[in-house]
Amino acid sequence: MPNFGRLCSKGSALGETLSLDDRLLHPEINRKRVDWHTAIDAVAQRFGETIARHGPNSVALYVSGQLLTEDYYAANKFAKGFLGTANIDSNSRLCMASAVAAHKRAFGEDLVPNVYADLELADLVVLVGSNTAWCHPVIYQRILAARAARPNMRLVVVDPRRTATCEGADLHLALRPGSDVALFSGLLARLATSPSEAVAVAVQQTPDVATVAGLCDLAAADIAKFYDWFAQTRAVVTVFSQGVNQSSAGTDKVNAIINVHVATGRIGIAGSGPFSITGQPNAMGGREVGALANTLAAHLEWSRPGDTALLRQFWQAPNLAQKAGRTAVDLFRAVGRGEIRCVWIMATNPCVSLPEAEAVRTALRSCETVVVSDVTRTDTTDLAHIVLPALAWGEKSGTVTNSERMMSRQRAFLPAPGEAKPDWWAVAQVAGRMGFGAAFNWSGPAKIFREHAALSGYGNNGRRVFDISALASATDAEYAAMRPTRWPCPAMGTPTTRLMVGGIGAQLVPTPLRPPAQAASGAYPLLLNTGRIRDQWHTMTRTGKTPRLHAHLPEPFLSIHPDDAIEVSDGALVMVTSATGQAVLRARHDRGQRPGEIYAPMHWTDRFCAAGRINPVVNAATDPVSFQPELKHTPVRMSAWPAKWYGFLLTRMPLGAELAGWCAMFPAGAAWRHELADQDAAEQAFVRLKAVCPTAGAWIVLQDGAAGVHRAALVQNGQLQAVLFIGPTSDLPQREWLISLFAQQVLTLADRRAVLAGRPLSGDLPEPPVCVCFGVGLRALRSAVEAGCASVEAIGVATKAGTNCGSCQPEIRALLALQLV
Ligand SMILES: Nc1nc2c(c(=O)[nH]1)N[C@H]1C(S)=C(S)[C@@H](COP(=O)(O)OP(=O)(O)OC[C@H]3O[C@@H](n4cnc5c(=O)[nH]c(N)nc54)[C@H](O)[C@@H]3O)O[C@H]1N2
Ligand SMILES: Nc1nc2c(c(=O)[nH]1)N[C@H]1C(S)=C(S)[C@@H](COP(=O)(O)OP(=O)(O)OC[C@H]3O[C@@H](n4cnc5c(=O)[nH]c(N)nc54)[C@H](O)[C@@H]3O)O[C@H]1N2
Ligand SMILES: [Mo]
């Protein structure tokens, strides 16, 4: 197992995210509970009628890397083989599409040549557009551990922001956003020896370090250092993720990276290669079953003669889609124009995660039929006509593939709650009801997997690397016991670990320079970058209700370089506006931002902070080859949000995220925290907010109208029920101590007297943890340093901080650096 038994902070808290509140337990039509039979009939009827009236391209499926390979296979077969439309796309379009397209251009097929172990064998690891420390913490710990064992190993990070990942790096290249092609083109120009068009383009556009320095806005000496290290090192792995893929030049960025590795033979060998890392549990499995609008199952291609005939024959599908369908952004625009009238969304939350997200909502509101399969209520299920309850992680059974082509079994260890069913089952039922039963007659995931494996070998004869036909004859028992298996594993032949060995057979692809689709200028002078934070997962459906995962960065925020923040003080609310929408976020001054560039996390939804959803702002320009949207570069402007008052309300139960003009809600210890601000009078807001709290109990109140200060606490039978603080600025008392009072059965007299002061009469204020896994805060870390701990390891031994997932180690390292000077 690549994790070696370690889990990230989110994985460690997974047990706390498995509760059933908010779970979808029954099918629903127009919000009313129905039985499965009725729901399946309705879906089949809506799809059937829409196709009969408007043709197969008036329907679509939008699926996800959260699905198991078997679910994915079923959905893809249903759409492309039997509905007769290739309008099935996946949220992988937002995630991996550029890597897929670039792999195909370079290798003729979508394959990752290297394996995780190469990260430990490399003497130089280059992380491009990847905040590995936060997004792949276990991989990051493996890299740091390898470097600790082999001090000659070097780590370079290429990211416009100074991220936590940079804390462990030997060199950070904070390049101009979107300029990665220039950086790698310059490296190709320097290293390539044999002539080709790609090299000619590279030499012409980036002849020397000075040119690259200008294009990337970097110091020439730093570029020269990076190029020298690369040139002098045989074993180099270049890891790339969303800073590369999510760009209108994403495919070229990936090819520019691959070019350097291919041209120098640094690929497919131990410790050397370009390495695309994925995010979702099964982003890779979806690529194997071809559940993107422009791919076919099992790496078959429309463009390759004979492939469609093969697939038609194997599936016995006379109705096979004849050409590629609509890709995510285009698909939802077609919904908005009424060209797609019936859509089935499975295991993804596009109202939040797609760019121009407000237009996506409007499109779904106007759509004739919206079917959503999910495990929980989301911003997207809110817009569904038909909701189908799915099995979640821990309940479902099937296979997933990781970034190194390793297929592994996911086994159920929990019973199915309510009437929730696997997604493949729902697809097969609908297909059966539409008259395609013979092709969807599966008794379980093992049968689907065998079919998928058989297809990969069908008419293959070594033409497609993706061949797992050795598994096509697995019995149910063998499937149940399947060990992690790396593809390719054809029926005959020896297992292969690395592919494209030395670059033989790979193509160099010319990558002419292209800036981001929209430049920051005029009305939108700043460039907005978006991405993830350490302790949240995507649209928070799994992590949103776990108090300790909110302890680190609890509110949607905007990171701003202090030089850009003249009007916006740290902690105030700031509005970001683009050509498509706006959001209001908490300003955080951050010297790790390049001036002129700001950063917001992607995670917040209507459920936790409606105004903090960033994707209505994010532009939908796409890469011309991969159609992946440019989620990392949107021109915007920013202005202070004119709040008349700021406040917070702590309660025992969540009261919703609509309590004020701006409201962010999240769990905190035994309480729910609502951070608030608005433009009305503080006095009125105070009255209004007290009224939404439970009515029983007595309020203790402290008001100073002239100063704009209003505070109240609600106590019932000696127990604290609510705390409301309002003030004229965002500078309000620290919340942690007040939150800790909710754990008391009966408030002590001293605490009751102190509550409206917002701090204890004596003693220390509690503090938010740095290490979420073990709940270790700044003060404990500082005392460990004072007691003589001089390294992350020593602090780990003394406090346990950083010894589980390690994603807080960069912060501990930064603290050490500060404390030791
Ligand atoms: N905590 C957490 N971890 C996750 C997830 C999560 O939701 N939460 N999601 C998972 C998923 S699905 C994915 S896809 C991965 C994503 O993992 P990552 O790709 O590592 O995460 P991001 O934060 O989206 O973006 C990475 C970095 O790209 C940088 N970047 C922006 N523009 C550019 C550019 O032009 N060039 C370069 N070189 N860099 C740029 C950003 O500043 C950012 O730091 O994470 C996975 N892991
Ligand atoms: N601005 C900006 N936007 C981004 C990104 C970014 O960096 N910046 N990153 C993009 C990337 S890389 C990604 S991967 C996407 C992620 O975006 P989404 O796919 O929208 O994110 P999730 O919150 O993971 O949504 C998954 C949903 O599936 C449900 N689910 C989980 N398991 C199952 C299952 O087995 N069956 C069913 N039916 N449902 C299930 C969950 O409850 C959840 O509602 O966001 C993209 N959007
Ligand atoms: Mo992703």
Side-chain angles (χ1 to χ4, degrees), residues 606-608 610 655-665 674 676 688:
D606 268 5
R607 298 187 137 56
F608 297 99
L655 298 180
E658 286 158 8
L659 296 181
W662 192 86
C663 174
M665 176 183 85
H674 307 80
L676 309 164
R688 176 167 61 77

Side-chain angles (χ1 to χ4, degrees), residues 10 66 95-96 127-132 134-137 158-161 163 175-180 240-244 246-247 253 277-280 529-539 599 602-603 632-633:
K10 298 173 297 305
Q66 308 278 330
C95 182
M96 313 292 318
L127 301 173
V128 193
S130 164
N131 188 3
T132 329
W134 279 10
C135 296
H136 297 92
V158 182
D159 193 312
R161 290 191 302 149
T163 62
L175 80 180
R176 171 179 290 135
S179 66
D180 305 72
F240 56 93
S241 187
Q242 299 315 341
V244 169
Q246 289 172 344
S247 155
K253 285 188 184 185
I277 52 174
T278 57
Q280 301 186 89
N529 175 5
T530 64
R532 291 157 172 79
I533 61 173
R534 194 183 80 187
D535 294 335
Q536 290 299 339
W537 178 262
H538 294 165
T539 69
Y599 177 84
M602 63 168 287
H603 306 289
K632 295 285 187 256
H633 320 305

Side-chain angles (χ1 to χ4, degrees), residues 64 66-67 91 94-95 242 246 280 346-350 353-354 373-376 378 390-392 396 423 530-532 537-541 602 614-615 618 631-632:
S64 139
Q66 308 278 330
L67 293 175
N91 67 354
L94 315 178
C95 182
Q242 299 315 341
Q246 289 172 344
Q280 301 186 89
M346 222 177 271
T348 176
N349 196 358
S353 54
L354 275 180
S373 298
D374 205 298
V375 303
T376 182
T378 69
L391 293 186
K396 55 189 183 179
D423 293 294
T530 64
R532 291 157 172 79
W537 178 262
H538 294 165
T539 69
M540 293 191 174
T541 53
M602 63 168 287
I614 197 65
N615 277 15
V618 172
L631 299 165
K632 295 285 187 256

